[in-house]
Each structure stands twice: as C-alpha cells, then as structure tokens.
Amino acid sequence: MRAAGRIAAGARTAARLALRPGITTQEIDKVVNAYILSQHAVPTFLGYGGFPASTCVSVNNEVIHGIPGKRVIREGDIVSIDVGATYRGYVGDCAGTYPVGDCAPEALELIDITRKSFFEGIKLARAGNRLSDVSHTIQQYVEDRGCSVVRDYVGHGIGSEMHEDPQVPNYGRPGHGPLLCSGMTLAVEPMVNRGAYDVRVLSNEWTVVTLDGSLSAHYENTILITGGEAEILTMADDI
Ligand code: MG
C-alpha cells in the first residue's frame, strides 16, 4: 500500500507540474498515464467501470469524474486531478485541486478550505475513534467557512480494490459508523462546493458538476490508521 501510494502521489505531482494555460485535459492524462507506467504500475482508473482514461480531470464547476479530452485549460481555472495506481495488487488513490495562473481569491480560498478540511478530519482518524468522527469534523470545518460538502459521493475503504467498504462520508454526526482499527486503509476525500451541495451528472454519464454552477474543489489521500496520527500513504511535496 505504501508503494502504490507513493506512485499515485508521484502521478498527481506530475500532473500538477504539467498544468499551465493552453494544455488540454487529454495532455494532462497522458502525463499521468506515462508516469504510472514508468513506475511499473497500472493506472487503476483506466477501464474502471468503463472509464476511458487514467486521470479524472475536473475543471471549475466540475466536482469529480471529468473525462480528459480536447478541453483547453485557461488562466484562472481551478483543476482537480484525481489519480489511482495499482502496484503489485494494491491501490493508491489521491486527488488535489490546483489553480492555473492568476485565480480569483474565492477560488483560492475554496481550494484551501478543502485541503485543510482533510487535515482537520484526519486528526480524528485513529484507532479507537468512530469513522463518522472524521466525517463530522470535515463537514463542520467546511460549513463554518460558508461552503458545503457533497453528499452524493464519498470516500472509501481501499486495499486490493480501489473501492472497498466502508464508505467514508464527509458529513454526519460524530460517534457513529465503524470503529477505526490499526491497519485499516481509507481514502478520505472531501469534495467541497462554494455554493450548495447538490450535484448532477452530465450526459456523458461520468462528469459530476455542481447543480448551481458554483466552483468545486477536491482533496484526497489514502491513509493508514494507526494508534496515533494517521500515516498518509499518498504524501507528496505538494500536498
Ligand atoms: Mg477515491
């Protein structure tokens, strides 16, 4: 899991470094695909449920599951990069949202709130706590700052499959859900909207967008539960 996590994190970094005005989302996907293959790993997303690429690239009001294509990234866009790598039968999954060039202060603030909500949440991700302690902390952090957490999509257990039990919602009352135990690996991934939490799926049957058209940001790492602080398996310089 650590090795898979390092590769996923490296792919996310490679995509971030490639981001610039003028690049297409398809070109970003090529960078990710090449990086994962160079590490002797397999792009987990490619063909998963029929998904046609190695990367989910979701721009501005797109929440998750953006399909790479001919779209050109422009100055001022915020771009979510979500990648998965399978290495020797185990999966690492991570995502981040990055500004391209000069972005509106509210866009930068949304990215910051989303990222920080993850780190606030995982303070509670330790053996002996309940899963919803993490969920509740993320929700509270986000809503205290005037944003909303997406309800229709959630984080997940992860291991030899990308999506395993349990579901890891970014909302809920504390003190509920599975008891966290050392050795569990989870993908914790707040999806945060500037406006309301409602989303819809585009006619391509993949891309999830905010219903009100507001900006959305995503931040995800695969973590390992321990008796102390969670270990982030998809750690990278730019987290
Ligand atoms: Mg995930």
Side-chain angles (χ1 to χ4, degrees):
M1 289 296 291
R2 288 191 177 100
R6 271 194 298 272
I7 295 167
R12 179 179 58 182
T13 298
R16 181 183 62 79
L17 294 175
L19 263 182
R20 55 178 165 72
I23 195 170
T24 65
T25 54
Q26 209 160 39
E27 287 167 333
I28 296 168
D29 181 57
K30 276 192 187 147
V31 168
V32 166
N33 182 273
Y35 179 86
I36 292 172
L37 294 178
S38 78
Q39 302 300 304
H40 312 289
V42 174
T44 317
F45 293 6
L46 185 60
Y48 188 93
F51 192 75
S54 302
T55 322
C56 294
V57 185
S58 309
V59 185
N60 296 335
N61 64 312
E62 295 174 349
V63 180
I64 48 169
H65 302 170
I67 300 177
K70 292 187 167 65
R71 181 173 185 162
V72 177
I73 299 300
R74 302 192 183 289
E75 170 119 14
D77 285 343
I78 62 169
V79 182
S80 301
I81 305 284
D82 194 349
V83 298
T86 304
Y87 184 73
R88 297 189 179 176
Y90 290 91
V91 185
D93 185 8
C94 61
T97 299
Y98 306 103
V100 179
D102 269 340
C103 287
E106 72 199 41
L108 298 176
E109 189 187 51
L110 174 68
I111 290 171
D112 189 55
I113 290 167
T114 306
R115 187 175 165 282
K116 283 185 178 151
S117 75
F118 167 88
F119 286 100
E120 286 300 311
I122 68 161
K123 286 180 184 170
L124 281 292
R126 63 174 63 205
N129 284 350
R130 295 276 171 185
L131 182 62
S132 81
D133 297 334
V134 178
S135 312
H136 176 76
T137 302
I138 290 171
Q139 179 181 18
Q140 189 143 44
Y141 186 88
V142 167
E143 291 182 353
D144 283 352
R145 285 154 186 81
C147 296
S148 64
V149 291
V150 170
R151 305 291 206 269
D152 291 0
Y153 298 86
V154 296
H156 47 93
I158 181 168
S160 55
E161 299 289 334
M162 177 159 62
H163 293 129
E164 298 184 353
D165 286 339
Q167 293 198 336
V168 183
N170 298 300
Y171 59 92
R173 291 177 300 149
H176 289 72
L179 186 65
L180 298 177
C181 302
S182 292
M184 284 180 169
T185 44
L186 304 170
V188 178
E189 51 176 318
M191 290 153 259
V192 177
N193 296 349
R194 185 79 250 186
Y197 62 71
D198 312 82
V199 297
R200 68 186 174 89
V201 182
L202 297 184
S203 58
N204 66 21
E205 295 184 352
W206 277 107
T207 309
V208 178
V209 300
T210 55
L211 192 61
D212 61 11
S214 67
L215 291 176
S216 187
H218 187 196
Y219 188 73
E220 174 183 29
N221 283 300
T222 299
I223 66 166
L224 169 67
I225 302 297
T226 74
E229 275 184 27
E231 182 181 333
I232 301 175
L233 304 183
T234 46
M235 196 87 169
D237 294 346
D238 59 330
I239 71 156

